[in-house]
Amino acid sequence: MRLVAIAGSIGEESYNRMLLKFMARKYQDLVEIELVDISEVPVFTQDDDLSDSVAIQNVYQKVFSADGVILATPEHNHTVPAAMKNVIEWLSYKLHPFDGKPVWIVGASYFNQGSSRAQLHLKQILESPGVNAFVMPSNEFLLSNAKTAFDDQGNLKDAGTVKFLDSIIEKFLHYVKVIDLLDTPDPKTSEDEDLEAKNPVNTTIEDVDMNDDQWVEKAAEKVHAVDGSTYVKLDRGILTVNQLNYFLNSMPMELTYADDNNQFIYYNHNASASKMLAPRQPGQAGDPLSSVHPSRAVKHVKQVIHALRNGADLVGMPVPGNGPDKHVMHYYKSMQDENGRYRGVNEWVLDIMPIIKYYLSVTGQKLVTDEQAIKAAPIFGLDATSGASAKPATPQPVEPQTDSSTGASEHVDVTDSSEIVPVAPEDGIDIGELLNSGNNVATEGVQPVGVKSTTINEPVPPVQETNTTPEVDVVSGASEG
């Protein structure tokens, strides 16, 4: 979890800033707390809108992207200091990063009264229309006699005070998680999945037409999204936006991101639609999933998403038209945030046949037909919530008719337990199910069920590229054209 912290006093010797620095050090193994400087923020005036200035954008971006905010306020004349109020004015005029954001108010003062009146006023300000923050109720932290409260290293000296602070920050971290769940979509069945994306979540960019072909550009402008050589701090790395694009666009598979509001918000644009396994058009980015699927696929799109939303980790299925030289698979991986909340679908499309042929080439194996083998169902992973059996039923030969534009089964109900062999949860993808889903079965070394081994002396010929008509996937909804 990542929090940002702002001290309301901008003087060089600020006990409120000292308090925040102490908290950032003490709780660094529990949460990341980043202090944000507001000393360069200009005085608010509607006559000179500086919302796009570097100083204000810096504070805005930090608050907007944080999981929660800690505000440390001194008390000036029984109320909030001018610097703190000034920042909130800018962040409630045209920019609204506090909207729906969990906030914890703390404060330090010179004498015994603490900063109780300033904290009360600040709470009223934060809950006003245009700000709309979620301020954690009660649990005030009022540090009095701040001049003598810290040692030479900037640490609080009183053990009782530190213990009390420990208890409140634990509560705030729980509070952040609770607030995060307030806008979580909760469809009860797959039929309730809203593919129109009408229920915004806390990452939805609102007031931009989802079906606009310029959604990416307009949404980026709306939230002042960074681009180009601007650095982005990831959990284990720092990359520029350009580097992120290089990295994602060079992935050896086609990637798609559909968020938890069922909005198609990204794909790695590494080829033109005509050269993709699952064609996508730039103008589709931002569309609700209902706009990028034919009506006949909607039922199965909802089944896949609902399974992922409710515990399934991975769903996989082949697309139509596979043969001895091509086996294109669509995988749908559930994504969760640090709180375990479902945040959308990570889909990737991959022709696995080159991988299989490489393996056979370097091991001297080959694929042979096993007349005794019982084929597994090609669609897997939907057993978690779809009603499929939690234990594999006796496998039956299945030849599903697939939707030529989505890869979803047109005639086979994917919730029928007799036609789905669930994936083993401890082992990830069952390679037998994966490789036996077409007309071929693998040999020993891969070890799927019902496979016969044949050793060959001659090398396997290299994979030949073939011209194929791209198919359309279930969740990202590549265009049919």
Side-chain angles (χ1 to χ4, degrees):
M1 189 178 297
R2 191 177 70 84
L3 308 177
V4 297
I6 299 174
S9 50
I10 57 177
E12 292 184 7
E13 294 185 10
S14 167
Y15 291 105
N16 282 275
R17 190 181 306 114
M18 190 179 296
L19 172 62
L20 295 177
K21 288 182 178 179
F22 167 74
M23 293 167 62
R25 290 195 306 273
K26 177 167 174 52
Y27 304 116
Q28 60 183 332
D29 293 333
L30 184 65
V31 62
E32 178 187 343
I33 302 177
E34 179 183 2
L35 271 66
V36 177
D37 181 23
I38 61 172
S39 61
E40 299 298 323
V41 175
V43 175
F44 175 75
T45 172
Q46 295 186 34
D47 296 334
D48 186 14
D49 182 11
L50 299 175
S51 298
D52 290 331
S53 67
V54 173
I56 296 172
Q57 278 296 311
N58 178 62
V59 180
Y60 164 74
Q61 294 288 351
K62 299 289 187 183
V63 173
F64 180 80
S65 61
D67 296 303
V69 181
I70 305 174
L71 298 180
T73 181
E75 186 169 303
H76 292 180
N77 298 327
H78 290 184
T79 190
V80 178
M84 178 70 81
K85 183 66 164 61
N86 185 58
V87 168
I88 298 174
E89 293 289 349
W90 279 119
L91 300 185
S92 59
Y93 175 46
K94 291 187 175 180
L95 307 172
H96 302 274
F98 283 108
D99 192 357
K101 192 75 64 177
V103 177
W104 175 28
I105 301 174
V106 301
S109 66
Y110 288 166
F111 304 109
N112 292 331
Q113 81 275 14
S115 59
S116 58
R117 285 164 293 204
Q119 290 196 30
L120 178 60
H121 287 182
L122 182 54
K123 182 176 185 294
Q124 293 174 328
I125 294 168
L126 290 168
E127 293 177 343
S128 64
V131 186
N132 299 319
F134 288 137
V135 182
M136 184 169 68
S138 190
N139 297 293
E140 293 90 353
F141 183 80
L142 310 169
L143 181 65
S144 60
N145 301 310
K147 290 183 177 181
T148 59
F150 298 92
D151 62 20
D152 293 340
Q153 284 74 45
N155 299 317
L156 287 175
K157 295 187 290 187
D158 183 69
T161 301
V162 174
K163 184 177 180 180
F164 180 59
L165 187 61
D166 291 345
S167 68
I168 301 182
I169 196 166
E170 288 279 2
K171 291 179 181 179
F172 183 61
L173 297 183
H174 286 296
Y175 182 73
V176 171
K177 293 179 181 180
V178 170
I179 296 302
D180 181 59
L181 294 175
L182 288 179
D183 68 349
T184 304
D186 188 26
K188 302 305 180 185
T189 69
S190 63
E191 289 299 317
D192 296 329
E193 284 290 345
D194 172 32
L195 300 192
E196 297 287 341
K198 293 179 180 177
N199 298 296
V201 293
N202 56 14
T203 52
T204 300
I205 301 173
E206 299 191 69
D207 302 322
V208 180
D209 181 5
M210 291 184 181
N211 289 301
D212 193 321
D213 286 348
Q214 296 298 309
W215 178 84
V216 172
E217 291 74 20
K218 292 181 179 180
E221 182 180 2
K222 172 76 176 178
V223 298
H224 298 84
V226 297
D227 60 6
S229 59
T230 305
Y231 281 98
V232 177
K233 180 184 178 185
L234 305 171
D235 56 0
R236 283 297 86 202
I238 300 175
L239 300 173
T240 66
V241 178
N242 284 338
Q243 287 174 324
L244 277 171
N245 279 319
Y246 306 152
F247 183 62
L248 292 169
N249 289 342
S250 65
M251 288 292 171
M253 72 275 294
E254 296 168 10
L255 299 171
T256 294
Y257 192 132
D259 70 9
D260 46 328
N261 187 33
N262 294 335
Q263 184 181 7
F264 174 33
I265 59 174
Y266 172 81
Y267 75 95
N268 60 335
H269 193 191
N270 57 9
S272 62
S274 63
K275 295 182 179 179
M276 296 179 70
L277 298 172
R280 299 169 175 84
Q281 303 288 345
Q284 290 179 311
D287 287 0
L289 290 183
S290 62
S291 296
V292 293
H293 290 97
S295 59
R296 64 181 178 275
V298 166
K299 173 184 176 181
H300 303 309
V301 175
K302 289 184 174 183
Q303 288 175 337
V304 169
I305 293 173
H306 196 67
L308 295 173
R309 191 188 298 277
N310 289 279
D313 180 59
L314 183 70
V315 175
M317 63 185 69
V319 301
N322 286 322
D325 293 318
K326 183 181 71 168
H327 197 96
V328 178
M329 291 290 296
H330 288 259
Y331 298 101
Y332 308 98
K333 174 79 172 176
S334 173
M335 296 185 290
Q336 289 87 31
D337 63 16
E338 67 280 354
N339 299 328
R341 168 180 168 176
Y342 169 79
R343 297 316 307 239
V345 183
N346 171 12
E347 179 206 355
W348 67 96
V349 183
L350 180 68
D351 182 1
I352 65 172
M353 193 56 71
I355 300 172
I356 296 172
K357 289 191 174 183
Y358 168 79
Y359 172 81
L360 297 176
S361 177
V362 299
T363 61
Q365 307 289 319
K366 72 176 180 180
L367 301 178
V368 296
T369 300
D370 183 359
E371 301 295 342
Q372 304 300 317
I374 300 176
K375 293 182 181 179
I379 301 173
F380 66 86
L382 285 174
D383 59 291
T385 59
S386 65
S389 172
K391 296 181 180 180
T394 302
Q396 300 295 325
V398 178
E399 296 292 343
Q401 300 299 313
T402 47
D403 183 333
S404 63
S405 65
T406 68
S409 173
E410 184 75 50
H411 302 294
V412 178
D413 187 346
V414 294
T415 64
D416 186 343
S417 62
S418 68
E419 296 172 345
I420 297 176
V421 180
V423 58
E426 295 91 12
D427 301 327
I429 302 174
D430 186 322
I431 194 67
E433 294 182 22
L434 187 62
L435 300 185
N436 289 343
S437 58
N439 296 323
N440 298 319
V441 291
T443 60
E444 82 179 56
V446 182
Q447 305 284 343
V449 178
V451 168
K452 292 183 178 179
S453 168
T454 303
T455 304
I456 58 175
N457 296 322
E458 68 275 14
V460 176
V463 179
Q464 299 294 323
E465 293 188 0
T466 58
N467 293 325
T468 60
T469 300
E471 303 294 346
V472 180
D473 62 280
V474 172
V475 172
S476 68
S479 72
E480 295 186 71

